[in-house]
Amino acid sequence: MTDQPAATAPGKRPGNWKVWSLPRPVLGYVLGVELVALAALSVSFFRPFAGSPEVADLGRAALLVALGVVSAEVTRGVERMRRQFADAPHVNMTSVWTMAAALLVPPVVAAAVTVLLYLHLWWRSWRAVAGMQAFRVVFSACVVILSCTAVAALSAVLPGGGNPGFERPEGLFSIIAVVAVYWLVNSALVGVVIFLSRGERSLRRLAGAWSENSLEVATLCVGMLVAALVLWRPWLVVLVLPPLYVLHRSVLVRQLEYAATTDHKTGLLNASSWHSLAATEFERARRNGTQISVLMVDLDHFKHVNDELGHLVGDQVLRAVADLMRREVRRYDLCGRFGGEEFVVLLPETGVRAAAEVAERIRVAIREHRMDEAAVGERAARLRLTVSIGAAACPQAGDSVEDVLLAADNALFAAKSAGRDKVLSVGLP
């Protein structure tokens, strides 16, 4: 399941939940989702897809809860660490069991499975994680309940009547539809709360990176396999646990690698990672006899932003500049943050003239950008951001990363001395 990342100190009793301190739009939305989840469960009693719980349903639900608890216990340390490193929508592995519950048991029973699994996760894994307040767990559980209800409604009208795709090869299309509906409902509900709370407009930060979404889809597909096994060979379901454990650990390794190489405020490469990758690109350029360019980008008067509007607004500005830079460069260009308000871009197979054109696009995009008033307030929304940029290329400015960086940095200082909001390039008038 994809849920919102933790952000503040944990609460251990209702008085410390801090839910009432949320901004009004966020609070209204969170409470609205929880009310809709309760309403959906109430309505499910009177809908054809609900069905009445039978002994077999309770047995299946108990099996899924037991397997979910065992899986959570085995991976408890891994899940805590993954939670701590999550700065984007967090994917936990409960989707394996909640997806199966959505297909195998009535919505009310699936909701009970969800509540039990999330209570266990909260008690055993998440309470000690900074910022994981109880109301976040309640909201996340309600999102899962709505996703399961949507799946139950869809599977009831698809061929197969509740277990789409399990009887016929052509039912694969029904399976794809069910996975898509669960993912869409889940991602949309979580994306809205991130937008309301952070003012994010970047699709990557709202929906999560492709790696996170692919992980969610993978867990949903495993949930489909669990549902099929529970129907046909329940004793084989335990074979899902070892690969699920390995998947959990491999995801943690990827998160640790990302945290070690990425600037957490902007999502760009940090200085050491950028320099290491840049050195590799320079070596490739020397072997192939191609040009390679570097842009040094500095946000003008950024200290005034922090001093007058606060560091939270300053962080929003840094993220906005990083996103704008990424949009103006190619997928394989290297964007990094060197610290403070200074950024760097490496452009492989690019001469200084083409690099200056890229720099000009970045300068104009940032100058024309307006901060979201809902996210930063009316005063901050009047900000007019500008950047000064220096550009230099290899081999004209030198043969090493250090030489070209120094040349681009000198051009940057010249742009600032010339009045800021300018692009100056080494070797161009």
Side-chain angles (χ1 to χ4, degrees), residues 277-296:
L277 294 172
T280 301
E281 290 295 333
F282 265 75
E283 180 60 32
R284 181 180 294 113
R286 280 193 292 270
R287 288 198 310 267
N288 298 335
T290 57
Q291 292 184 308
I292 188 168
S293 295
V294 169
L295 306 180
M296 291 294 291

Side-chain angles (χ1 to χ4, degrees), residues 355-371:
E357 294 173 358
V358 174
E360 182 64 17
R361 291 204 307 269
I362 293 173
R363 185 192 69 81
V364 172
I366 293 172
R367 182 183 178 85
E368 295 179 350
H369 179 72
R370 297 295 177 265
M371 299 294 293

Side-chain angles (χ1 to χ4, degrees), residues 207 243 324:
L324 291 166

Side-chain angles (χ1 to χ4, degrees), residues 203-249:
L203 183 61
R204 179 189 178 280
R205 292 183 180 272
L206 291 176
W210 163 247
S211 58
E212 297 295 322
N213 285 291
S214 61
L215 174 62
E216 174 72 355
V217 171
T219 60
L220 295 177
C221 291
V222 175
M224 279 287 189
L225 295 176
V226 168
L229 287 174
V230 169
L231 286 174
W232 296 335
R233 300 290 187 271
W235 57 90
L236 294 178
V237 179
V238 294
L239 297 179
V240 172
L241 296 177
L244 201 58
Y245 173 76
V246 174
L247 178 62
H248 223 119
R249 288 189 63 85

